[in-house]
Amino acid sequence: MYATCVTLKFTRRCGEAARIADRFNRTVRPSPALGGMITNGCMLKSFKVTEEKGNPLPPQREKKPKTSPCVLRCGTAYGNLLAMDDISAEWMTSPVRDCGSDNDVSNDDDDEDDEEEEPIRKRSKWPDLPIPAPWYGETSKETGFHRSSRLCLNQIRECLLEHRWQEAAEYLISYFQTLEEISTPRQLLATEIIFRLGSEILHQHPNSKLEDVNHFFDLMKNTGVRGYLKISLEHSFHLLLTGNFDDAVRQLTTAESWRYGKQSAVQADKMKLIHAYRGFLSYLSWISKKGSSSEDDDGDVSAIQEMHTYFRQACISLQEILKLPGVWDPFVVGYVNMLEFYNDHEGALNVLKEYAYDSRFPPNPNAHVYLYRFLKRQGSTEKKQIRVLKILGALVPSHELMLELFSLLLESGTEQSLKEALDVLFNLLDDCSWKHSVAAWTCFRNMIKLLRRKKLKHLLEEGWETRKDWWPAFHFRTYHARADFQLSRQLLLMKVVVASTLVGNKCMYCRRKNELENEREARRMIKTHKKRKR
Amino acid sequence: MDEELIGFFREPCSQCSVVNWGVTEEGGYYCKSCHNVIERTVEVTDPSCVTGSRVSAISHGAKKPAKQKHGKDWMVCEGFQFILKQQAEALLAMGVRPELKDDILCNFWRGYLHKSQQAYTTKPLYSVTSQQESDSCPESLAASELSCLSKAETESDMDGARSTISGWSSDGGRLSSVCTEALDSSLYCSARERRMHHLMTMPMTLAFLHLSLLWLQEAITLADLLRFTAEGHIPYINAYQNFPEDMKLFGRDALIFRVESLPSYKMVQEEAHNLAIFLDLPRFPPLTSACLLHPSLLCLRYLMELNLPDELHVWVCWVMQQAGVGKDTFLTYDPWAEKSGLLNYDILASALIVVTLKLLFKLDDQQEWCLSNSADDENKQNQDSSIFCFRKWYKTVQGALVVAKEAEEQAMARKSWKSQKPVYPSMRNKSVVIKRRRVVEQLQAQFQKLTGSDPQPRQDSPSSFRLRWGEEDGGGPSYQGRRLGSAVKKRKGSARPSNPTYWHTALSSCKPRHCTDHFLEMEDSLPRSYVSVLGMVSFLLGVQETHVHAEVCLLERLLFKRPCQPRTKTSHGSRRKK
């Protein structure tokens, strides 16, 4: 949710970003923008681990990033807090693992300790798998202090769910004492929880000011140096959200140059994300410069030069991050956009192809969407476009671009392609989000007409065979007819054609349609009758 | 030389908030953790701002550090003595007779020190062999012990008390480090040693208090004591915060004095019993019916708190007589009596009330509601509400309890456990611990400013009663004056309950160590109204339902003391009232 807000914020900055944001919204994933990217920061980490330990995970693990609890954990603070139901899930996956498994209070700030720790870590009984950390729930041996903090967290959660920010802040005052927790895993968890709760409350509390937020973030950064970069990143997100673009850039620049003994090396994966976001912000500056310079049209040399600097900055960082497997949607879009502007179409195509087809990357429908749109913009052959869309269809059969694939297939006109087009339609209508789509049903009606004309009705049978036991209940009940009629008459008429072809003329849907039509006719008659009377 | 300069300069680093300063060759300070070099300046600590603002430079001359502060050597038992003294003073402030502190507790404590060979002995448990005065040490300690508790009222000021408390005579020559833990704290760290020598723990301080209160027959029961402790009226959590300046806690001391939970009723009771045996205490003064701890008087108090009619008290006393629990031979605590533990007077009294309720209203989910209906009818006929109606009572008390439970939970959620003065586990961790404490304080200050809330929440004065009835801000109307009405029948000149039968669970007692209680496994099969009455009582006492249930079973065993056939655990025996 936060991610969307940030994107919207950009919208105000520059018209180009609006277009991007709009495009994001049209893609499948609910919020593929910034939030999604943090998620993948973590995924990126798991890959790193694989490389370092020389203990490669099986490939199917890499292909299922969504199921990894690691990914779950790293969702942005705001996003997760707003969906606080998941806080238990959050707890299950504590940050214990990415901080090593030492039980010493001290090594938070001590470089030497880290050196001592290193061999221990290798011997540690925690294997490097995304195993949930121990769940600190209610037990019979729970100490009073832990009971207090558990109850307090529950209270805060209730308050947040009901948007009672004032009360939540009051409870948080008591909750701060968990920072002084003696056991290290619990202490780290407390840091994380307090950081998330605090930033959310400060974000929402009516009395909070920007200084408060900055102060809070600074304190949290220094409390757990292990989370320094993550908190810096969140801080910059918050600044973006409140419209302080320059401060956000400054924040990221500071974070980029952060050095803290071995701690900065441990957080190398986060550092890569920081670089990437820094590049992305440069890209946004580039867009705004582009917008202003195109208005002037004079071609002010210095402005163009400045724009070029931003371009170079963004390019370097974005190129780096795109080499690593992950879901980098906004980065890719930005990078391709810049390349296209400077007429490097080949480069852009390579980037997109890499992003879509590299097997190290997790399967990502958006990658294919971007590639398709690029091809369409470039006016490439239909064959290529169809190929891309087919892969997309395999990933997401109910994607909205499937209608475009349908029309593309229809245009080629061979029997094979007609069959494929019919499959596309069937798959589309299997999904309940398309149930009431007039466009989809119109396509189906047209398809049937076309098949009749070409005498290829047997094609219909194949698709129907697997669906005939459930589609009538799914689409063609009397109740559906009534609902469709209320929605739009057009939909009803389209569906009737399909229903009568597939199920038969005497199906419930058709009968109900006839009744409804008769009723409508009767009402019209009465109306006209009355008018005439007057 | 660095140590001296650094010791003086205790500001947090502006970059990383750590206090870990080093001095460069040029004489400037630099932060050892983030290598941030600062100018030799004094920072104004402004909690609203992390970095603070530099105000003025200070001259080099002023930096000469004062003599290093260090604590005196001290023994762990001195720490406990200090805590006990504070706890006793808190009890005195509540109105307990002053003999508690000066006579009873002091004597118990002396006896304990002697028995555990910590003082008043020629062979002390821990002796400082490196010191010449090792043989005179226990004497000096003994002298100071003597003076501490008994003379404390004359030495009301803190300084006087301090001089006697840490009376362990020592010259400062041996002290080199800034922080020293108590001399004998290593003894306390091994569980074996602790058990062998019966060394002090924090829950044992409460056991001491409980024994002394029992000896004095004060009205504070163990449940009350624990509740006052939980509410903070008796110092327990972070009691070490108030130690005198020269008693510095460090390292292992934390393990001894830091508490993160309150002991349970059972635990303190067991500790107290073990302590009584260890101290070789004689039979306690007889507990007569005039004492406030006597069940008949305690019952009156609990009847009032449970908002039950006073008329029930007659019945409670009758049950008490029948079961034979009112006699002083039964009630008086004798550590050496056969098969004896400490009696839990408060639970016994509340169990008496539960049994009485079962006798009059049966509590089988049927009879009590029938009786409530007839009470309603009577009230309607008489056009008033002078007859006690179980249903109305149940609704009122249950409602108030739900509110009280919620309030308790919220209070628990807001409870502060951590000390203002943290104890460092080791010198190396000191900076981290200090930094954490400071961050917590800053965060708290920031959010207090944000919410505009009061940093120190108002504390209610201690009260024996948790629920109030019949007052404006109380839990509901008072039923104290109500009559029992048709629940009691007059027959042949004597009153009888109109409820003809009484149910109870299996009377055969289990083997003591093999199975403790069966409440959890049979809770579902027990009548709901009985379970909720148990819930009310146990909430008031702050114990678990199973304890009250066990006490009820015990009472029933005493009531129907005839050899009975073994029954299955879950079946409800039903028998006519004698």
Side-chain angles (χ1 to χ4, degrees):
Chain A
M1 201 174 286
Y2 185 87
T4 339
C5 298
V6 174
T7 327
L8 289 179
K9 188 67 219 167
F10 294 156
T11 345
R12 236 177 284 152
R13 295 207 137 260
C14 29
E16 180 66 0
R19 209 156 57 78
I20 298 166
D22 194 23
R23 232 186 275 163
F24 290 158
N25 292 341
R26 269 189 277 123
T27 48
V28 185
R29 298 198 165 184
S31 88
L34 305 175
M37 243 177 304
I38 298 221
T39 314
N40 288 285
C42 195
M43 232 192 52
L44 161 100
K45 175 182 169 295
S46 69
F47 278 97
K48 258 207 94 214
V49 169
T50 333
E51 286 159 18
E52 278 173 4
K53 306 270 167 172
N55 173 23
L57 297 167
Q60 60 266 40
R61 182 171 294 283
E62 297 176 358
K63 286 200 172 160
K64 287 181 190 163
K66 278 185 200 163
T67 55
S68 140
C70 219
V71 176
L72 235 183
R73 180 178 68 69
C74 272
T76 62
Y78 295 94
N80 281 333
L81 277 171
L82 292 171
M84 283 281 287
D85 292 329
D86 290 339
I87 199 152
S88 321
E90 293 288 311
W91 275 45
M92 301 289 285
T93 55
S94 80
V96 183
R97 251 173 26 76
D98 45 352
C99 307
S101 54
D102 47 311
N103 289 317
D104 201 341
V105 192
S106 73
N107 44 31
D108 205 348
D109 304 45
D110 212 335
D111 292 352
E112 291 163 10
D113 280 346
D114 285 346
E115 283 167 9
E116 288 163 19
E117 252 168 64
E118 211 50 46
I120 300 170
R121 189 174 299 165
K122 272 170 195 154
R123 271 186 273 116
S124 81
K125 57 185 174 184
W126 288 92
D128 258 315
L129 293 170
I131 292 173
W135 155 253
Y136 301 121
E138 186 175 0
T139 59
S140 55
K141 287 188 179 169
E142 187 181 37
T143 66
F145 171 57
H146 290 150
R147 177 151 182 268
S148 271
S149 29
R150 184 170 52 80
L151 291 177
C152 193
L153 187 66
N154 282 349
Q155 293 284 358
I156 297 176
R157 185 173 73 165
E158 291 298 312
C159 295
L160 289 192
L161 285 173
E162 291 166 21
H163 291 214
R164 289 179 278 142
W165 310 115
Q166 169 75 13
E167 213 173 315
E170 281 168 19
Y171 275 115
L172 193 61
I173 296 174
S174 311
Y175 196 74
F176 284 135
Q177 60 178 329
T178 52
L179 272 183
E180 290 183 85
E181 182 67 74
I182 300 156
S183 90
T184 313
R186 277 177 184 273
Q187 203 270 336
L188 289 172
L189 190 57
T191 317
E192 173 106 5
I193 291 176
I194 285 177
F195 156 61
R196 291 186 179 196
L197 291 178
S199 48
E200 177 65 18
I201 290 171
L202 281 175
H203 183 62
Q204 306 278 2
H205 197 280
N207 293 355
S208 82
K209 295 181 216 71
L210 188 62
E211 296 88 69
D212 288 334
V213 180
N214 287 340
H215 181 216
F216 177 77
F217 273 110
D218 284 340
L219 272 179
M220 287 318 291
K221 267 180 234 168
N222 294 324
T223 319
V225 271
R226 298 176 187 204
Y228 184 92
L229 289 181
K230 192 160 82 178
I231 297 172
S232 295
L233 198 56
E234 294 279 353
H235 192 179
S236 64
F237 287 163
H238 190 276
L239 290 170
L240 283 178
L241 191 65
T242 44
N244 299 291
F245 186 84
D246 297 334
D247 285 341
V249 174
R250 210 168 300 129
Q251 194 63 43
L252 285 179
T253 320
T254 324
E256 265 184 323
S257 58
W258 182 70
R259 293 287 174 276
Y260 195 92
K262 289 215 160 176
Q263 285 296 334
S264 27
V266 171
Q267 299 176 22
D269 49 342
K270 308 253 170 33
M271 191 56 106
K272 280 174 194 141
L273 268 188
I274 298 256
H275 284 311
Y277 275 100
R278 178 78 186 76
F280 191 62
L281 292 190
S282 304
Y283 162 67
L284 291 174
S285 317
W286 177 82
I287 285 182
S288 61
K289 277 276 166 305
K290 192 179 89 173
S292 56
S293 66
S294 62
E295 276 167 23
D296 297 346
D297 250 353
D298 301 346
D300 189 358
V301 183
S302 69
I304 286 173
Q305 229 159 27
E306 205 178 345
M307 198 169 132
H308 209 75
T309 324
Y310 281 130
F311 165 69
R312 269 203 309 270
Q313 276 176 2
C315 261
I316 292 165
S317 323
L318 293 181
Q319 246 169 357
E320 278 305 307
I321 196 82
L322 290 179
K323 280 179 194 157
L324 298 161
V327 180
W328 311 123
D329 293 355
F331 297 159
V332 167
V333 171
Y335 190 44
V336 167
N337 192 12
M338 286 192 294
L339 290 180
E340 270 187 275
F341 182 80
Y342 291 106
N343 284 327
D344 185 3
H345 298 298
E346 190 127 330
L349 185 66
N350 281 340
V351 168
L352 283 172
K353 273 189 175 165
E354 190 91 335
Y355 189 55
Y357 295 136
D358 194 330
S359 59
R360 293 176 307 144
F361 281 64
N364 179 4
N366 286 345
H368 303 284
V369 174
Y370 300 145
L371 183 57
Y372 166 70
R373 292 213 174 111
F374 179 79
L375 291 176
K376 206 172 157 190
R377 275 202 299 280
Q378 298 298 319
S380 71
T381 58
E382 280 175 13
K383 214 174 153 189
K384 277 185 186 168
Q385 292 183 25
I386 288 174
R387 205 166 55 204
V388 175
L389 282 180
K390 270 186 190 165
I391 298 172
L392 179 63
L395 285 173
V396 193
S398 60
H399 198 278
E400 59 188 0
L401 284 179
M402 287 306 107
L403 283 182
E404 288 192 29
L405 174 62
F406 172 77
S407 41
L408 280 173
L409 284 169
L410 220 55
E411 273 170 36
S412 57
T414 60
E415 188 179 335
Q416 179 60 27
S417 63
L418 278 183
K419 188 176 170 297
E420 280 168 2
L422 195 62
D423 277 344
V424 167
L425 266 189
F426 268 123
N427 287 334
L428 203 62
L429 288 168
D430 281 347
D431 194 275
C432 86
S433 55
W434 289 93
K435 239 174 145 175
H436 305 294
S437 159
V438 181
W441 286 107
T442 314
C443 285
F444 211 128
R445 204 269 318 256
N446 295 344
M447 187 74 191
I448 287 172
K449 275 189 177 171
L450 187 74
L451 290 176
R452 264 190 206 145
R453 222 182 307 135
K454 296 207 169 184
K455 306 227 164 36
L456 288 170
K457 271 187 81 178
H458 61 275
L459 290 180
L460 217 49
E461 296 298 320
E462 287 171 32
W464 179 239
E465 197 57 37
T466 52
R467 291 177 177 81
K468 69 178 174 195
D469 48 345
W470 64 281
W471 263 38
F474 187 58
H475 286 306
F476 306 130
R477 281 279 161 87
T478 38
Y479 128 82
H480 288 124
R482 201 174 54 242
D484 292 341
F485 183 69
Q486 272 168 7
L487 219 61
S488 105
R489 185 162 168 266
Q490 183 74 9
L491 179 64
L492 183 76
L493 295 178
M494 295 298 141
K495 267 179 94 172
V496 158
V497 178
V498 180
S500 60
T501 319
L502 290 176
V503 191
N505 263 329
K506 290 179 182 164
C507 68
M508 292 184 216
Y509 195 89
C510 302
R511 270 183 289 165
R512 182 68 188 153
K513 178 247 166 189
N514 290 337
E515 285 169 30
L516 287 168
E517 284 290 298
N518 290 343
E519 271 174 37
R520 186 164 169 272
E521 193 59 29
R523 244 179 278 138
R524 216 162 50 104
M525 294 284 277
I526 293 166
K527 253 188 202 167
T528 44
H529 188 68
K530 273 183 187 167
K531 257 186 199 167
R532 242 180 254 161
K533 255 190 172 178
R534 261 180 232 161
Chain B
M1 68 109 197
D2 281 4
E3 279 294 317
E4 295 173 353
L5 292 167
I6 295 155
F8 193 79
F9 192 64
R10 300 243 55 95
E11 300 300 327
C13 170
S14 60
Q15 291 284 318
C16 61
S17 297
V18 181
V19 183
N20 190 7
W21 295 108
V23 179
T24 59
E25 285 173 21
E26 291 86 30
Y29 282 108
Y30 72 96
C31 177
K32 278 183 183 169
S33 48
C34 66
H35 306 291
N36 171 34
V37 181
I38 58 157
E39 293 176 29
R40 299 180 56 80
T41 55
V42 170
E43 300 219 345
V44 172
T45 40
D46 180 6
S48 65
C49 170
V50 186
T51 47
S53 53
R54 284 160 193 170
V55 170
S56 64
I58 53 164
S59 69
H60 188 81
K63 289 256 37 153
K64 276 288 165 224
K67 193 170 171 263
Q68 267 184 16
K69 278 208 291 183
H70 48 66
K72 285 187 172 177
D73 284 0
W74 56 286
M75 309 276 283
V76 174
C77 63
E78 286 177 283
F80 279 114
Q81 182 174 316
F82 186 81
I83 291 173
L84 272 177
K85 178 170 163 274
Q86 283 204 322
Q87 289 175 336
E89 275 163 4
L91 281 175
L92 293 198
M94 276 182 216
V96 175
R97 277 180 279 159
E99 291 99 292
L100 175 91
K101 186 177 138 201
D102 298 339
D103 293 342
I104 293 149
L105 186 58
C106 183
N107 275 329
F108 283 172
W109 178 243
R110 275 185 211 161
Y112 169 77
L113 288 178
H114 171 66
K115 290 258 176 191
S116 62
Q117 295 183 317
Q118 296 187 46
Y120 306 112
T121 171
T122 46
K123 281 184 277 177
L125 196 62
Y126 176 87
S127 58
V128 191
T129 45
S130 61
Q131 280 193 316
Q132 303 93 322
E133 69 257 50
S134 71
D135 47 357
S136 70
C137 268
E139 292 304 317
S140 71
L141 173 65
S144 71
E145 305 296 349
L146 272 172
S147 59
C148 167
L149 283 166
S150 50
K151 279 192 205 158
E153 70 259 60
T154 54
E155 297 164 333
S156 55
D157 59 329
M158 205 52 208
D159 280 0
R162 191 186 307 158
S163 67
T164 55
I165 274 175
S166 35
W168 185 271
S169 64
S170 64
D171 43 356
R174 219 167 51 81
L175 303 166
S176 49
S177 57
V178 178
C179 286
T180 48
E181 48 193 25
L183 289 172
D184 52 348
S185 59
S186 56
L187 267 184
Y188 282 74
C189 286
S190 108
R192 205 177 129 265
E193 295 270 337
R194 263 208 314 270
R195 256 201 316 280
M196 218 163 68
H197 302 293
H198 231 272
L199 294 177
M200 278 297 282
T201 56
M202 279 306 280
M204 269 172 78
T205 60
L206 292 181
F208 264 106
L209 293 185
H210 180 48
L211 278 185
S212 344
L213 286 170
L214 195 61
W215 188 280
L216 257 188
Q217 301 178 340
E218 282 288 345
I220 299 180
T221 64
L222 181 52
D224 293 332
L225 185 72
L226 288 174
R227 187 161 52 86
F228 291 145
T229 311
E231 284 168 5
H233 299 303
I234 296 174
Y236 186 78
I237 301 162
N238 299 328
Y240 62 84
Q241 272 189 128
N242 305 324
F243 276 4
E245 279 296 302
D246 5 348
M247 280 167 77
K248 287 237 189 305
L249 263 73
F250 178 72
R252 279 176 292 202
D253 297 343
L255 298 174
I256 304 166
F257 289 105
R258 185 169 51 204
V259 273
E260 289 209 334
S261 55
L262 293 167
S264 68
Y265 188 97
K266 268 257 151 23
M267 184 185 179
V268 177
Q269 205 180 25
E270 268 166 34
E271 288 275 11
H273 182 59
N274 292 341
L275 189 65
I277 287 176
F278 179 70
L279 293 181
D280 207 359
L281 290 184
R283 200 179 136 89
F284 275 48
L287 204 101
T288 56
S289 55
C291 301
L292 285 169
L293 272 182
H294 192 272
S296 80
L297 292 179
L298 271 183
C299 277
L300 254 187
R301 181 185 146 188
Y302 289 132
L303 281 179
M304 215 154 122
E305 182 136 39
L306 280 169
N307 202 8
L308 285 165
D310 291 339
E311 241 178 74
L312 269 178
H313 190 237
V314 185
W315 289 95
V316 172
C317 289
W318 185 80
V319 170
M320 191 170 69
Q321 257 173 21
Q322 292 291 314
V325 293
K327 288 173 282 186
D328 64 343
T329 46
F330 178 83
L331 290 173
T332 307
Y333 173 54
D334 184 357
W336 293 99
E338 214 173 301
K339 268 180 76 183
S340 149
L342 256 171
L343 272 184
N344 21 24
Y345 299 95
D346 34 17
I347 300 188
L348 178 71
S350 53
L352 277 172
I353 294 176
V354 175
V355 170
T356 313
L357 283 177
K358 270 170 82 178
L359 194 66
L360 290 178
F361 298 98
K362 200 173 176 191
L363 304 189
D364 68 340
D365 285 346
Q366 282 178 4
Q367 186 74 21
E368 68 270 23
W369 308 124
C370 294
L371 284 170
S372 308
N373 290 342
S374 50
D376 276 341
D377 291 344
E378 276 181 77
N379 280 337
K380 254 180 212 161
Q381 276 177 9
N382 301 345
Q383 304 270 321
D384 60 1
S385 53
S386 60
I387 308 289
F388 175 75
C389 170
F390 185 85
R391 184 184 291 117
K392 276 187 186 150
W393 169 81
Y394 178 81
K395 279 184 184 162
T396 314
V397 176
Q398 193 67 17
L401 273 191
V402 167
V403 174
K405 264 185 193 164
E406 210 163 276
E408 196 191 51
E409 200 145 281
Q410 286 181 0
M412 186 68 183
R414 286 174 198 260
K415 193 168 179 62
S416 157
W417 291 86
K418 291 294 175 181
S419 158
Q420 307 281 322
K421 289 191 234 164
V423 187
Y424 327 120
S426 70
M427 212 49 208
R428 207 179 49 162
N429 294 339
K430 190 177 171 184
S431 56
V432 179
V433 173
I434 292 183
K435 191 184 96 174
R436 287 233 175 98
R437 179 73 225 160
R438 189 173 303 112
V439 167
V440 169
E441 273 165 11
Q442 286 187 7
L443 283 172
Q444 282 175 343
Q446 191 197 352
F447 273 74
Q448 262 150 14
K449 219 172 87 185
L450 181 77
T451 56
S453 62
D454 193 14
Q456 241 73 46
R458 190 175 54 86
Q459 214 180 27
D460 295 329
S461 55
S463 155
S464 308
F465 292 97
R466 302 189 71 173
L467 301 172
R468 264 159 242 227
W469 308 102
E471 292 169 25
E472 267 182 27
D473 56 343
S478 165
Y479 295 103
Q480 267 184 49
R482 304 281 162 97
R483 288 178 292 114
L484 289 173
S486 62
V488 180
K489 270 191 250 170
K490 289 265 181 203
R491 200 191 292 166
K492 291 180 194 165
S494 65
R496 294 270 171 119
S498 51
N499 160 42
T501 52
Y502 185 89
W503 67 267
H504 56 79
T505 50
L507 284 181
S508 59
S509 54
C510 308
K511 285 182 188 169
R513 293 247 165 84
H514 285 275
C515 43
T516 45
D517 64 270
H518 300 280
F519 180 70
L520 284 181
E521 59 194 57
M522 65 171 148
E523 189 185 352
D524 295 334
S525 63
L526 292 174
R528 289 299 89 197
S529 51
Y530 171 68
V531 174
S532 17
V533 168
L534 278 190
M536 292 170 191
V537 169
S538 60
F539 174 75
L540 285 185
L541 295 180
V543 296
Q544 284 179 327
E545 280 109 323
T546 139
H547 293 172
V548 185
H549 177 70
E551 202 71 20
V552 169
C553 289
L554 182 88
L555 263 182
E556 281 167 352
R557 227 169 282 146
L558 291 171
L559 270 175
F560 311 111
K561 215 190 242 165
R562 68 165 106 127
C564 59
Q565 304 89 319
R567 289 159 192 275
T568 47
K569 289 278 144 43
T570 45
S571 73
H572 301 171
S574 174
R575 82 172 43 194
R576 274 206 162 268
K577 203 192 72 62
K578 288 179 279 186

